[in-house]
Amino acid sequence: MKADKIWMDGKMVDWDEAKVHVCTHALHYGSGIFEGIRAYETKNGTAVFRLKKHIDRLFNSAKIFKMEIPYSKEEFRQAVKDTIKANKLKSGYIRPLVYRGFEQLGINPFKCPVNCTIAVWEWGAYLGEEALAKGIKTKISSYARSYINSTSQKAKICGNYINSIFAKMEAIEAGADEAILLDTSGFVTEGSAENLFWVRDGVIYTTPTATVLEGITRDSIIKIAEDMSYKVQEKYICRDELYISDEVFFVGTAVEVTPIREIDNYQIGEGKRGPITENIQKKFFAIAKGEEEKYLSWLDYI
Ligand code: PMP
């Protein structure tokens, strides 16, 4: 993973020169916020998927974490597009990061400057092409999703991802591809970096957003599924409801729409990508690649 240029506080910097000081506050305490966005190649050139919504969420994360971003949303959106252009990126991943830099290393972040960067790079299927076609193996994590009042689930705060990293390491070491985390009461929440959907008797379910990140793919999938005349409901469930679901799938910018074929060694449905998952996945990719007139407003062309 490498590209040519990184946008750093308003300047295009060579990839190898995009460095920070070791006393950067965020490096010690995770005091940053970030976004993950994808750009897809379409017949009319590269398009960013739901850029406005991602930059809105970045600014909401900044508000919750009390950081003043020294750019307008419009300037930030333009900077994303400029970085894509500077790297001649056709399709891939976009990572805006806003972090507390160095001034002093006490916990108090307010004295530290707010620095902004945008990196982009080519990135195919997050868990591999086979995962999209055949599904993945998951494990219910022994690590609970951070308690709702420990930090904030609405904000994509760097430090929140330590919880995700513990769950991911445990899943990988147990021979699974990804983790599913429960909340501190035992209700199903989400994956390490993806929201969860499941299907029972033709109805599509997902968890309410109170205890999970308000995923932009989640929002897209709900709209897509409803437009396809599926019934979609939000529901709190325990892990056993997943075991007996007909289909389960993850959604997120990185994983896109990834079927889950196994959870804790229980086979889900037929143990392969289910038919509803496949329909939604196909529609999602067609929309992202600009093949669906009705959803063109979701795309920002470069
Ligand atoms: N949950 C978590 C914890 C995440 O990190 C992500 C990835 N941003 C998601 C869900 C999915 O969100 P989105 O569809 O906006 O990428």
Side-chain angles (χ1 to χ4, degrees):
M1 160 202 154
K2 186 171 167 174
D4 290 339
K5 300 280 181 193
I6 293 195
W7 183 90
M8 273 187 108
D9 299 311
K11 293 194 190 79
M12 280 308 163
V13 176
D14 286 343
W15 180 279
D16 291 332
E17 297 307 317
K19 294 176 183 161
V20 296
H21 196 273
V22 291
C23 290
T24 296
H25 196 272
L27 188 60
H28 293 250
Y29 305 122
S31 49
I33 55 161
F34 68 100
E35 269 306 313
I37 315 174
R38 267 192 195 266
Y40 290 88
E41 201 172 357
T42 79
K43 63 177 182 325
N44 295 318
T46 299
V48 185
F49 188 71
R50 306 200 76 181
L51 176 61
K52 182 170 182 304
K53 217 162 163 61
H54 279 283
I55 299 303
D56 286 350
R57 187 171 67 185
L58 182 76
F59 277 70
N60 283 339
S61 296
K63 178 176 181 180
I64 290 174
F65 208 33
K66 299 186 185 290
M67 299 170 99
E68 190 86 38
I69 297 181
Y71 301 95
S72 67
K73 288 183 184 178
E74 177 52 37
E75 284 167 337
F76 223 101
R77 289 199 295 269
Q78 190 55 47
V80 165
K81 293 182 182 180
D82 292 346
T83 314
I84 291 173
K85 273 188 221 154
N87 286 284
K88 299 187 180 68
L89 186 83
K90 287 205 174 79
S91 70
Y93 193 80
I94 302 148
R95 168 54 58 81
L97 171 69
V98 176
Y99 62 96
R100 289 283 181 183
F102 174 67
E103 178 57 41
Q104 58 90 35
L105 266 182
I107 293 294
N108 176 4
F110 289 123
K111 292 200 175 85
C112 296
V114 172
N115 294 117
C116 304
T117 65
I118 303 169
V120 304
W121 63 90
E122 269 180 43
W123 208 7
Y126 182 61
L127 298 171
E129 284 297 329
E130 200 176 298
L132 292 175
K134 296 197 172 147
I136 58 165
K137 200 173 141 118
T138 62
K139 178 188 182 328
I140 303 286
S141 186
S142 72
Y143 292 98
R145 194 36 113 215
S146 293
Y147 171 59
I148 44 174
N149 286 326
S150 292
T151 60
S152 157
Q153 306 301 323
K154 289 281 168 294
K156 230 174 131 50
I157 298 170
C158 298
N160 281 353
Y161 284 79
I162 295 306
N163 181 229
S164 292
I165 291 171
F166 269 107
K168 184 83 182 183
M169 291 193 296
E170 182 188 63
I172 290 170
E173 290 192 340
D177 304 295
E178 188 52 277
I180 296 173
L181 292 98
L182 308 179
D183 67 17
T184 47
S185 303
F187 293 103
V188 170
T189 63
E190 58 188 335
S192 66
E194 47 279 307
N195 292 119
L196 192 68
F197 283 73
W198 61 99
V199 179
R200 288 188 78 190
D201 298 325
V203 179
I204 301 175
Y205 298 93
T206 190
T207 55
T209 54
T211 57
V212 300
L213 186 78
E214 252 179 12
I216 292 166
T217 320
R218 176 189 180 281
D219 176 79
S220 310
I221 295 302
I222 292 173
K223 290 199 172 79
I224 292 168
E226 286 178 342
D227 284 353
M228 291 169 88
S229 300
Y230 289 114
K231 193 167 161 197
V232 185
Q233 278 179 13
E234 293 184 342
K235 197 178 176 197
Y236 283 112
I237 57 160
C238 302
R239 70 175 80 185
D240 48 3
E241 189 155 338
L242 291 178
Y243 299 155
I244 55 168
S245 288
D246 304 319
E247 302 180 33
V248 184
F249 57 96
F250 273 138
V251 312
T253 299
V255 289
E256 301 166 304
V257 177
T258 296
I260 295 174
R261 63 178 159 79
E262 200 177 303
I263 306 173
D264 291 346
N265 297 321
Y266 288 99
Q267 176 180 303
I268 305 304
E270 302 288 314
K272 57 182 190 186
R273 175 172 61 187
I276 293 179
T277 310
E278 186 170 359
N279 280 344
I280 288 175
Q281 191 190 48
K282 274 196 180 134
K283 191 70 148 190
F284 171 80
F285 281 120
I287 291 168
K289 288 171 186 168
E291 293 158 13
E292 295 276 342
E293 200 73 31
K294 185 172 169 197
Y295 298 90
L296 284 181
S297 64
W298 284 358
L299 306 185
D300 249 282
Y301 288 92
I302 298 305

